[in-house]
Amino acid sequence: MDDLSLLRELGKYLDLRPLNERTRGEAFAAGGNARWGVAVRDLLVEGLLRVRSKSRGLIRLRPNRAQIEFSRNHSKRSIVLKARQLGITTYVAARFFIQTITQPGTVTVQVAHDQESAEEIFKIVHRFWENLPRGMRDGALLTSRANIRQIVFPRLDSEYRVATAADANAGRGMTIHNLHCSEVSRWPGNVEETLASLRSAVPEDGEIVLESTPNGAGGIFYEEWQRAEETGYSRHFFPWWYGDDYRLLKKVGVQPPSQEEENLMQQAGLTEAQIAWRRSKRAELRGLAVQEYAEDPVSCFRASGECVFDLEAIERGLRSCGEPIQARDNQHLLIWLPSQVGKQYLIGVDPAGGGSEGDYSCAVVIERSSGLQCAELHGHFPPRELAGKLIELANSYNQGLLVVEQNNHGHAVLAHLRMVGCTNVFRDGGRDGWLTSAVSRPAMIENLAAVLAVEETIFHSPRLLNECRTFVRHPDGNCSAAAGSHDDCVMAMAIALAARQRLAGQFSRMRSVEMASLAIESRRASGEALGIRGESTGLGGGA
C-alpha cells in the first residue's frame, strides 16, 4: 500500500482507541472502558510530528496531561479555558494537522489574536510538515503552496491555513472542517461579528475549538464560557498545575503552608515545590496571578473595574450553591425550593425585548419573610410569552406578587398581564410595576449588596452570583455589568429585595441600609441543607 492510500485508510479510524499492552491494563482497571486506549490520532501525533523543545532541540510531540485530557473529553464543539503555556494551541494544531493529511478534502483554519501569534502557530504547523519522512513530503504530502501562512496538499485536495482575527475576510466564502480560534479573549475589533462569520463556515459535522486564557470578566469569550451549556459546547478547564514546569525546587526561606495552601494541596494533589512556585508567581504578578495562572474557572475572570459586591461573599455563596431540585421549560426555569402552604412569595422581574441576540429576561422568586431564593426564570422571551410564564410561576408560588419593572419592555409585559386580568401585580406610585430610576437604582443595588454581605447562603443561583462578580463601578461612578456581561439576574433580585423592603416599611433612605431580612422562623424552616443557622443575628424583623 502506498503512502497516500495508507494515509487515507488511517483517516477513517482517527478516533478509534485500540488497546495496546499498557492501556489494556489501564482499561481493565477502569472497568473495561475502551476510552482508556490511545486514539489512533494521538498515535500518529506522537509517531509523526516533531516540536521544538524548551532546550531548542526537536522532540516527538508526546501529549501532556492537559492534552491527554482534552483528547479524551473533546467534542465537535469545545471551549477551552486554561492557564498559560500548557500546550493546548500546539496540540489542537497537531490534531487538526493529522486530520488534514489523512482525510481528503479537509480545510483547517486556525485563527490567532494577532500577527505575531499567527506566525508562531504557522511555524509550528510548518515544522510538523518539514519533519515528516522525506518519502511522504515528496509524494503523498507534496505541497503546491507553503507560504503566506497556508499549506496546500493537492494530492489530498486539503489545505491548512493560519489567519488573524484582525482579518475581516478570514474564512469568508469557505467551508471549514476544523476551526481553532486561539486566545479569543484577546481578539481585536468586532469579535462577535468575526466569530459569527467563522462559525457559520463550519458544517454541523465539523469541529470548532474556542480556546483562551482568561482576560477579565467580560467580552465574547467570557460570554461563550458562561453560555456553553446553552450553546452546546463542552467546557474544558486546565489549571496551572497541569504544567510540568510549574514547580520551584530550590527552597529559600520556606514557610509552612497556610490553611488555604493546605486545602489546595489536598484538593489538587499539589506538592510543596508547586506551592513554592505559586507563592513566587503571586508575589511577582500580585492580582494578575489568578488570571494568568488560573486555578478555577470562576476566580480567573477578573472584573475590569471595582466590583460593587463583596467578592469573598460571592465566592462563599458559589461554594454553597446546591443543584436545583427541578429544571423545567428546557432549563429556563430552575427551582431550588418549592412553594409551601401559608408562605408568601415575591417575584422580581427584569424584562427584555425577547430577541435572541439581546438581553435576557429574568424573574427571581424569593420567600417574603426570609428573602430565600426559591426559583429563577431566565431566557429570551417576547413580552407576551414572558407574561404567560410569569402567571404560571406566580400560580405555582401561592399567587406570588409579581414585581415587574415598569421601564422599557416592562410596559408591554404589564399590559399583557392586565389584558388577562392578572391582579397580583405590585403597584408603585399608583401604577402597576416597579419603577427603577436614577434615585431608586443605587439604593436597590446597595440593599442587595448588604444582604449578600451578611447572608450569602440565601442565594442559590450560580448565574446570579456570577453576574454579581461582573457588576462593577465605572470611572463615572455608575454601576452596571462589565462590558460583554449581563446583569439581568442581578436586577431581578434587586427588584425583589427592594419590593420586600418597601412592603416591610423600611425604605433604604436610611444611612445604614435596613433590610427587613432573614426572620428567625424562616431560617429554621429552610433546614440544615441550606446551611442557615437559627439563632438571632441582630438584623431587623421580616415582613
Side-chain angles (χ1 to χ4, degrees):
M1 184 180 293
D2 59 22
D3 286 345
L4 186 60
S5 299
L6 178 59
L7 289 171
R8 286 178 171 176
E9 190 66 19
L10 289 169
K12 300 175 183 177
Y13 307 104
L14 292 184
D15 294 319
L16 183 67
R17 295 177 178 270
L19 297 179
N20 57 31
E21 289 304 315
R22 176 173 61 85
T23 58
R24 194 183 306 277
E26 292 177 344
F28 181 79
N33 187 350
R35 283 182 58 82
W36 283 91
V38 179
V40 169
R41 187 193 306 257
D42 287 331
L43 293 174
L44 292 173
V45 164
E46 186 172 341
L48 291 176
L49 305 187
R50 300 293 183 271
V51 292
R52 181 178 290 169
S53 69
K54 293 187 177 180
S55 60
R56 301 180 184 179
L58 288 178
I59 59 172
R60 289 184 176 186
L61 202 174
R62 297 181 183 274
N64 61 26
R65 179 180 177 183
Q67 295 164 347
I68 291 171
E69 191 169 306
F70 180 77
S71 173
R72 288 175 178 167
N73 301 316
H74 79 284
S75 67
K76 289 292 186 181
R77 301 291 184 268
S78 298
I79 183 166
V80 179
L81 173 64
K82 63 186 182 67
R84 295 182 61 187
Q85 297 183 326
L86 294 180
I88 294 298
T89 299
T90 298
Y91 179 67
V92 173
R95 285 177 53 82
F96 286 172
F97 182 81
I98 290 297
Q99 187 168 344
T100 306
I101 66 172
T102 60
Q103 294 183 354
T106 298
V107 176
T108 294
V109 176
Q110 284 189 279
V111 184
H113 66 291
D114 60 21
Q115 183 86 6
E116 181 180 355
S117 299
E119 291 173 359
E120 287 302 313
I121 292 174
F122 185 72
K123 287 179 182 177
I124 291 171
V125 177
H126 195 266
R127 192 175 293 119
F128 291 159
W129 177 80
E130 66 184 4
N131 286 284
L132 291 171
R134 178 176 292 277
M136 281 189 177
R137 286 185 283 124
D138 293 341
L141 300 181
L142 183 70
T143 63
S144 63
R145 186 182 304 165
N147 51 30
I148 59 170
R149 301 196 302 271
Q150 181 182 8
I151 303 177
V152 177
F153 303 103
R155 297 194 66 186
L156 287 163
D157 192 26
S158 294
E159 63 178 289
Y160 202 115
R161 296 188 182 191
V162 180
T164 69
D167 181 1
N169 295 315
R172 195 173 294 277
M174 303 173 60
T175 296
I176 302 172
H177 304 98
N178 300 313
L179 174 63
H180 174 207
C181 300
S182 180
E183 288 298 342
V184 178
S185 69
R186 290 165 172 78
W187 279 19
N190 190 333
V191 181
E192 187 172 7
E193 183 177 327
T194 303
L195 194 56
S197 175
L198 287 165
R199 289 200 283 199
S200 65
V202 182
E204 187 174 346
D205 62 348
E207 185 168 346
I208 300 176
V209 178
L210 308 182
E211 160 265 309
S212 189
T213 51
N215 186 27
I220 293 301
F221 183 76
Y222 175 80
E223 278 286 294
E224 291 290 335
W225 179 262
Q226 300 299 329
R227 297 173 58 233
E229 291 181 2
E230 180 182 337
T231 57
Y233 277 67
S234 59
R235 291 191 184 102
H236 307 267
F237 173 69
F238 303 121
W240 63 262
W241 52 81
Y242 276 36
D244 294 333
D245 296 331
Y246 294 153
R247 61 191 74 233
L248 195 62
L249 300 178
K250 185 177 181 181
K251 297 183 179 181
V252 180
V254 177
Q255 297 292 325
S258 65
Q259 185 62 53
E260 183 259 349
E261 289 171 337
E262 284 187 355
N263 291 341
L264 186 60
M265 291 173 73
Q266 291 177 0
Q267 293 169 7
L270 303 188
T271 65
E272 291 185 1
Q274 288 172 304
I275 291 297
W277 181 91
R278 179 179 187 257
R279 287 178 180 176
S280 70
K281 281 299 172 186
R282 294 205 160 197
E284 176 187 344
L285 299 177
R286 300 179 182 273
L288 283 174
V290 297
Q291 174 177 283
E292 299 300 309
Y293 297 98
E295 296 188 349
D296 66 78
V298 176
S299 65
C300 65
F301 288 111
R302 299 174 68 252
S304 55
E306 177 190 356
C307 184
V308 171
F309 301 103
D310 185 333
L311 287 172
E312 291 187 3
I314 293 171
E315 300 305 324
R316 291 195 301 270
L318 285 167
R319 287 194 294 268
S320 66
C321 278
E323 291 294 321
I325 62 171
Q326 194 173 7
R328 300 178 185 170
D329 193 11
N330 197 25
Q331 303 290 320
H332 289 306
L333 176 61
L334 302 180
I335 298 172
W336 289 274
L337 296 170
S339 63
Q340 297 181 28
V341 176
K343 295 287 187 181
Q344 294 182 327
Y345 297 92
L346 299 174
I347 304 173
V349 185
D350 181 37
S356 61
E357 299 301 321
D359 288 334
Y360 293 90
S361 294
C362 182
V364 171
V365 182
I366 65 171
E367 197 273 313
R368 180 171 171 179
S369 66
S370 66
L372 280 168
Q373 183 179 16
C374 301
E376 177 183 275
L377 175 69
H378 188 268
H380 289 116
F381 310 118
R384 183 176 180 179
E385 182 182 359
L386 178 59
K389 291 181 181 296
L390 292 177
I391 292 172
E392 291 179 11
L393 188 58
N395 289 342
S396 65
Y397 278 91
N398 303 343
Q399 296 298 309
L401 185 63
L402 292 168
V403 190
V404 182
E405 187 179 52
Q406 296 176 10
N407 311 51
N408 303 318
H409 303 288
H411 289 293
V413 176
L414 289 165
H416 285 296
L417 291 174
R418 284 192 295 268
M419 286 176 61
V420 297
C422 181
T423 58
N424 50 317
V425 176
F426 179 90
R427 294 177 63 81
D428 187 3
R431 299 176 59 187
D432 287 347
W434 174 274
L435 178 62
T436 300
S437 66
V439 174
S440 64
R441 193 174 191 275
M444 293 160 56
I445 298 303
E446 289 302 323
N447 183 47
L448 172 56
V451 175
L452 175 60
V454 174
E455 276 295 356
E456 70 280 349
T457 53
I458 70 170
F459 303 98
H460 294 143
S461 166
R463 179 162 43 211
L464 165 64
L465 292 169
N466 277 316
E467 282 191 8
C468 288
R469 294 185 71 252
T470 59
F471 196 88
V472 299
R473 184 170 287 107
H474 301 287
D476 62 2
N478 290 321
C479 300
S480 64
S485 303
H486 291 278
D487 57 12
D488 319 287
C489 298
V490 168
M491 292 310 301
M493 179 59 79
I495 290 167
L497 290 176
R500 174 175 176 268
Q501 185 185 57
R502 178 84 63 86
L503 293 169
Q506 296 181 340
F507 190 66
S508 56
R509 287 187 298 235
M510 303 168 65
R511 293 187 61 182
S512 62
V513 178
E514 305 258 356
M515 296 175 289
S517 292
L518 315 175
I520 296 173
E521 62 171 323
S522 66
R523 291 177 167 219
R524 293 196 185 106
S526 64
E528 295 180 359
L530 298 175
I532 302 177
R533 299 181 301 170
E535 66 266 20
S536 173
T537 62
L539 295 174

